[in-house]
Amino acid sequence: MKVINTISELRAELSLHRADGKTIGLVPTMGALHNGHLSLVHRCVAGNDITVVSIFVNPTQFNDKNDLANYPRNLSADCALLEQADVDIVFAPEVSEMYPEPDNRVFDFHPLDSVMEGPFRPGHFNGVAQIVSKLFYAVEPDAAYFGEKDFQQLAIIRNMVQQLNLKINIVGCPIVREPDGLAMSSRNMLLTAEERERALIISRTLFDSLRFAADNTLDDTKSYVEDKINAVNGFRLEYFSIVNGYTLQPVSNWDDADYIVGCIALFCGNIRLIDNIKYKEVE
Ligand code: PAF
């Protein structure tokens, strides 16, 4: 496994593989890797000749300076995991490599970015689009892998690929959960033991709501989740939205779409967690 820090070295290395007719897959990450990331890596390794994993804590997508400062970083542990997973190249650039100049590009994802995370994290998706497009230009992958835990991010990246006419297969991969149900996240390691215990209520409530939804209206299901979460001391709910899984726009009846997902964001103490659940999905 090669660890590369510059775009020029990355391009030189990848052009050799491309000349050999090899396919290239990319897994963009911000490091602090867990089994959720590794599930993306395994899919990528299985589906491509060459797997590139990028590790870069992207400053332009953090709307909160403390969140950026506290974001967990552990490059050597990450590289050990990636080596075991048969990754070919780790791309771990410095901020000055990715942003030699400030990136002033403004993307328009309306209405995908006007809902859910949008109002709570102004500029977040623009920053994600800035870095992911730069990574796409640097790697020119055949396929790129993203987790469905960041459900809105995945929809926005698919949209960005269309807007930019890129020929990259965007592969969404299912949420990976801890044995007790908590969705895996690099932020979980920032939770105190007590918060970690409490955080379990999130996935439990979403799974309970799946059963509740079977004989109740969409509005009642939404209230069911909101009431349960609001009743927990130490939680601060930002939103729970039940949306069309393609357009991300809220739906009001179970018949309104054939793909319906409930997305939640809340603070557990000072740590912001997100999760989602599929109520209805087309095969
Ligand atoms: O999902 C993430 O970890 C990040 O948003 C991404 C896609 C690596 C861009 O920095």
Side-chain angles (χ1 to χ4, degrees), residues 120 225-226 229-230 235-240 264-267:
F120 290 99
V225 171
E226 288 170 346
I229 296 294
N230 283 328
F235 275 178
R236 183 161 55 80
L237 179 64
E238 284 200 331
Y239 63 81
F240 174 62
I264 192 164
L266 56 84
F267 275 92

Side-chain angles (χ1 to χ4, degrees), residues 109-212:
F109 296 114
H110 181 77
L112 292 176
D113 59 353
S114 313
V115 292
M116 302 198 288
E117 298 288 287
F120 290 99
R121 304 191 69 189
H124 168 67
F125 289 120
N126 202 61
V128 169
Q130 288 175 341
I131 191 61
V132 174
S133 60
K134 278 173 178 275
L135 291 167
F136 284 174
Y137 294 137
V139 177
E140 297 184 56
D142 298 284
Y145 297 75
F146 296 87
E148 287 181 348
K149 182 172 148 286
D150 293 290
F151 195 80
Q152 191 170 7
Q153 169 173 279
L154 177 58
I156 282 174
I157 286 166
R158 287 190 200 285
N159 184 278
M160 181 190 81
V161 163
Q162 270 185 339
Q163 286 191 32
L164 300 177
N165 294 324
L166 297 174
K167 195 173 156 288
I168 300 173
N169 178 22
I170 301 299
V171 184
C173 303
I175 296 180
V176 179
R177 297 183 180 279
E178 300 286 355
D180 64 9
L182 179 66
M184 287 197 184
S185 163
S186 307
R187 291 193 166 87
N188 292 351
M189 66 176 80
L190 303 173
L191 298 167
T192 63
E194 204 181 308
E195 288 166 350
R196 171 67 185 76
E197 184 67 28
R198 195 175 299 143
L200 192 52
I201 300 172
I202 306 166
S203 56
R204 214 176 262 165
T205 303
L206 292 181
F207 284 119
D208 287 348
S209 79
L210 205 51
R211 287 184 282 275
F212 184 90

